[in-house]
């Protein structure tokens, strides 16, 4: 009887694990509540009308169609009965497993301010991205009809919260979309009407990067017209905008009226993680041992954003990055192979190939075995992202769209479609 | 003082009218409740996951960006005060006009059975197409998890109502998507599980075509595995499916359980037409004279699907086709030019360049100065549709996607994204 491996989540980690198990004598079931694998690093380009959703998402089923030992199920994992090794699904289905790989990722973290989520958009799935895109485009439409200059400026104020890669990319892309693309198509709007604020609690953006690249990123953001608000915390978010307060010194609150607020300040594991009954770290991630297995149950693995893997001798767990998830996906397949051959489980070792962030057209920072900023960093960023996209069709379409936007300063995906029907 | 021309609707007719007025000493305002011009003839390909929404839609604003005498407004026209020549918008705005061009198109007509619309999807805008796409893909997902063969077959039953070009194209495309694309990606589903019914009240499909092409279309549908139900009327549509009844003979009702029902049986003018206070025909279209002006008011024109233009000596009004709307858009610009020069208004003459419908991969019928069916008709259909798409980018992307699907039998736009959030 072949062992049954159930994988919860078809993201970078889960998909890689499924593929790495292709040649082992196991049957695999991938469960995901979406029908598609999403290339999250490019999600901000969907949110800023640069790419169509379908260009950065592939059906999980399609990505695994040729692999005969895997089946794919659209469903949501709710509970695990570790005693009987059974995974329960939301609509009543259940799956018996020999190995369970938890790779269900993270969701936006509003740090306890649940109502902020009604006004500040996260950026974790395609619905998020389409909602942001629509809100931005509708703000421009309203501004075009607004006669009052002050109100127009308020409509064209955009706030991005969080100075990590997602926040930096989002702020740069909104500024570019507004100033270089949209301002040309509207009769009443000039680039100077548009205001983009990037708010960061800490003293710098892109804190994972070295200082020279951080300074370069800040300079590149400035060139794009993004206002940096460092050492600044958000104390309220509502339908009118945000309220900011300096982290140090006088607590003088400043209310910023804004039409769109994007929340890129943090993520947390999806709630399924807490229902496994295994050890979690302080941020709710599943603590795993050196083989990527949970501490309570060697047959349950956790990989990617939902897992807290702390390399030996280091104090912090690995960050939530695609390469971490991908390498852990491969590793878990090797662990299962070792089990089947009754050998000792190998230990996971993360190979850090570097980090990168893009700021806009011809603007990026890259830090690995070498450092780059500006145009060549942007080219490197583009090549690597295209390479990791799944499917030749998507790679080609994304490259064509980038080339087209670069040459024409136009964006192909400026659709407003998801609003409720108004018949 | 320049005359102000207000155009309601940025479809084929409205967009063409705006462009044709480019060199006249007028200012133009285009009002549309969507931000995009939609290439409706290819909407069924969005509904069947062949094309991304953005490939067949362009922002109206973008399409007119270089034309200096036009501005574009996102808004919904509600009332017209013909006395003061004022158009009122839904949110309280108003526009004074010298000429009003009504080009607001048609919506799905359920012929008085309002509740049918809850279960049978129309196919008029991008929201419709995404809803159909999602429903079809979810039916396959549910079927993959269904153990019972009978229930699985029921989940994979699709009904298309209406045997005109949209219905024929839709039925062919669903059958092809199911049998040639999706069946390969699912483990439990075989092509024989899939059932596609095309229901038509009359004795034939594509009644606007000559008999040889109608027979060819019926044969091509049969080759694709579409079940033709001619001389059959729909007597009920509910969440379970449809109830059919023969038009003649015994009234024996047959209930067909189906997961997706597409309504392509008819359209009617959008409700704004009735609020103009001008003469309408029996189907609610605005009756226009030989210059395309309304009978009650020479400063108000109606063109495209919303207008009933009956050529001299003929009994029936022109059909709701893109070429009719486009030619009428040009014509109205000529009429306004004649008015400005104080000359007599020219009469509109429709130049019929032929009609075409596609049935599936390598399958189509074309009727014009020559007739074609099969592969060459399909090539002709593809070339003409690409030619009429707006923007080089869209033409290229659509051609690339068709080529890719033709070679690989894959579909690029198989996303389920619009479902409500389930967090």
């Amino acid at each position: 009887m072949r062992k049954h491996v159930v994988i919860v989540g078809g993201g970078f980690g889960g998909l890689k694990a499924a593929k790495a198990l292709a040649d082992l004598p196991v049957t695999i079931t991938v469960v995901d509540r979406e029908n598609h694998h999403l290339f999250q690093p490019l999600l901000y380009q969907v949110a800023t009308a640069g790419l169509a959703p379908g260009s950065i998402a592939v059906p999980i089923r399609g990505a695994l169609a040729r692999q005969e030992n895997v089946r794919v199920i659209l469903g949501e994992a709710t509970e695990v009965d570790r005693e009987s090794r059974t995974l329960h699904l939301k609509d009543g289905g259940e799956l018996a497993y020999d190995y369970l790989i938890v790779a269900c990722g993270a969701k936006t973290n509003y740090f306890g301010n649940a109502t902020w989520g009604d006004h500040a958009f996260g950026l974790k799935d395609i619905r998020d991205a389409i909602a942001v895109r629509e809100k931005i485009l509708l703000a421009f439409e309203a501004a075009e009809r607004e006669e009052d200059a002050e109100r127009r400026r308020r409509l064209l104020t955009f706030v991005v919260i969080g100075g990590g890669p997602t926040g930096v990319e989002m702020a740069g892309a909104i500024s570019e979309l507004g100033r270089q693309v949209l301002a040309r198509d509207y009769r009443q709007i000039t680039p100077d009407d548009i205001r983009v604020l990037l708010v960061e609690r800490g003293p710098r953006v892109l804190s994972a990067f070295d200082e020279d690249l951080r300074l370069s990123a800040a300079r590149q953001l400035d060139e794009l017209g993004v206002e940096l608000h460092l050492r600044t915390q958000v104390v309220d978010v509502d339908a009118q905008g945000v309220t900011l307060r300096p982290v140090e010194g006088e607590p003088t609150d400043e209310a910023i009226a804004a039409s769109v607020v994007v929340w890129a300040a943090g993520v947390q594991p999806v709630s399924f993680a807490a229902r496994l009954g295994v050890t979690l770290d302080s941020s709710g991630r599943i603590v795993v041992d050196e083989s990527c297995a949970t501490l309570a149950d060697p047959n349950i693995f956790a990989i990617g954003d939902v897992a807290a893997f702390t390399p030996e001798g280091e104090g912090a767990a690995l960050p939530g990055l695609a390469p971490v998830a991908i390498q852990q996906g491969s590793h878990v397949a090797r662990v299962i192979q070792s089990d089947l051959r009754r050998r000792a489980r190998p230990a996971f070792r993360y190979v850090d190939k570097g980090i990168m962030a893009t700021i806009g057209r011809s603007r990026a920072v890259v830090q690995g075995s070498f450092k780059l900023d500006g145009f060549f960093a942007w080219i490197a960023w583009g090549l690597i992202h295209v390479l990791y996209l799944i499917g030749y069709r998507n790679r080609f379409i994304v490259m064509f769209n980038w080339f087209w936007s670069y040459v024409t300063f136009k964006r192909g995906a400026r659709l407003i479609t998801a609003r409720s029907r108004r018949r």
Side-chain angles (χ1 to χ4, degrees), chain A:
Chain A
M1 183 73 181
R2 287 177 157 224
K3 297 282 188 190
H4 185 207
V5 182
V6 173
I7 303 174
V8 179
F12 286 110
L15 199 56
K16 184 68 187 187
K19 286 183 171 178
L21 289 164
D23 298 324
L24 295 192
V26 295
T27 59
I28 308 158
T29 302
V30 177
V31 183
D32 200 301
R33 55 186 185 180
E34 306 286 356
N35 81 326
H36 51 272
H37 165 84
L38 177 64
F39 193 79
Q40 283 199 8
L42 290 179
L43 195 58
Y44 80 96
Q45 296 211 356
V46 173
T48 49
L51 293 175
S55 302
I56 63 160
V58 289
I60 298 168
R61 184 176 298 296
L64 296 170
R66 291 200 207 154
Q67 188 176 325
E68 295 204 346
N69 65 343
V70 61
R71 66 173 180 147
V72 178
I73 279 179
L74 180 71
E76 186 168 350
T78 52
E79 306 282 341
V80 173
D81 182 344
R82 277 164 43 202
E83 203 69 37
S84 65
R85 292 192 183 159
T86 307
L87 176 71
H88 294 275
L89 304 182
K90 195 175 187 179
D91 51 8
E94 54 181 55
L95 292 164
Y97 65 83
D98 297 297
Y99 291 103
L100 181 67
I101 303 176
V102 181
C104 49
K107 62 179 182 181
T108 304
N109 187 357
Y110 293 98
F111 301 108
N113 302 290
T115 64
W116 294 9
D118 298 340
H119 310 292
F121 291 93
L123 206 59
K124 289 301 290 176
D125 61 29
I126 284 185
R127 282 177 294 273
D128 289 339
I130 291 176
V132 170
R133 177 178 86 186
E134 203 148 297
K135 198 101 194 273
I136 294 173
L137 294 175
L138 285 171
F140 274 84
E141 292 296 337
E144 175 77 349
R145 287 180 61 178
E146 179 58 61
E147 303 292 334
D148 181 78
E150 180 52 35
R151 278 202 293 267
R152 191 158 65 234
R153 211 175 135 76
R154 219 177 300 157
L155 282 166
L156 295 176
T157 298
F158 305 94
V159 176
V160 178
I161 300 162
T166 303
V168 166
E169 286 167 347
M170 199 60 208
I174 293 176
S175 189
E176 212 172 48
L177 173 71
R179 283 174 225 274
Q180 297 176 9
V181 181
L182 294 182
R184 303 205 275 179
D185 281 3
Y186 292 79
R187 300 290 180 242
Q188 282 221 61
I189 299 170
T190 65
D192 289 343
D193 290 334
I194 297 156
R195 194 176 170 206
V196 181
L197 290 77
L198 179 59
V199 180
E200 163 61 37
R201 210 179 189 291
R204 54 181 73 98
V205 295
L206 298 181
S207 59
F209 288 76
D210 290 345
E211 191 179 3
D212 50 346
L213 291 179
R214 287 196 311 257
L215 293 174
S216 171
R219 195 180 56 244
Q220 295 181 62
L221 282 167
D222 184 60
E223 286 164 9
L224 272 178
V226 174
E227 287 176 34
L228 266 184
H229 292 249
L230 299 174
R231 293 189 176 87
T232 304
Q233 57 187 317
V234 175
V235 292
D236 196 21
V237 184
D238 60 22
Q240 271 63 55
V242 298
T243 306
L244 305 180
R245 182 183 297 173
V247 171
E248 298 147 356
E250 286 286 306
T252 44
D253 291 359
E254 187 187 4
I256 308 273
S259 62
V260 184
V261 180
V262 176
W263 186 268
V267 296
Q268 61 187 328
V270 300
S271 50
F272 177 64
R275 287 192 232 118
L276 283 165
V278 297
T279 310
L280 306 177
D281 76 353
S282 61
S283 44
R285 290 178 298 181
I286 299 166
V287 178
V288 293
D289 66 15
E290 56 169 23
S291 76
C292 295
T294 57
L295 303 185
D297 191 332
N299 291 319
I300 301 183
F301 301 93
I303 60 177
D305 288 7
V306 79
F309 179 96
T310 307
E312 214 185 314
E314 289 187 31
L318 293 176
L321 296 172
V324 175
I326 292 169
Q327 292 179 30
Q328 289 177 334
S330 294
H331 182 78
V332 167
R334 279 193 297 272
V335 170
I336 291 173
Q337 185 173 32
S338 302
D339 278 12
L340 297 179
R341 294 180 180 172
R342 298 174 192 284
R343 294 192 189 150
R345 290 184 165 192
F348 175 67
R349 232 170 277 287
Y350 175 55
V351 182
D352 184 356
K353 290 179 185 159
I355 48 180
M356 48 190 11
T358 178
I359 295 140
R361 182 189 174 84
S362 309
R363 291 184 170 89
V365 287
V366 172
Q367 174 177 316
S369 46
F370 54 89
K371 286 187 199 177
L372 284 174
D373 65 350
F375 181 74
F376 291 103
W378 183 68
I379 294 288
W381 173 91
L383 286 176
I384 286 172
H385 280 75
V386 161
L387 213 66
Y388 274 89
L389 269 178
I390 289 181
Y392 292 106
R393 183 190 154 281
N394 283 337
R395 287 180 203 160
F396 181 83
I397 295 266
V398 166
M399 276 199 295
F400 173 76
N401 269 305
W402 286 349
F403 174 76
W404 190 261
S405 303
Y406 190 80
V407 173
T408 65
F409 282 90
K410 287 181 181 170
R411 298 288 168 94
R414 285 160 49 190
L415 286 190
I416 302 174
T417 60
R419 288 177 301 167
S420 55
R421 288 168 178 279
R422 295 148 302 142
R423 289 275 150 74

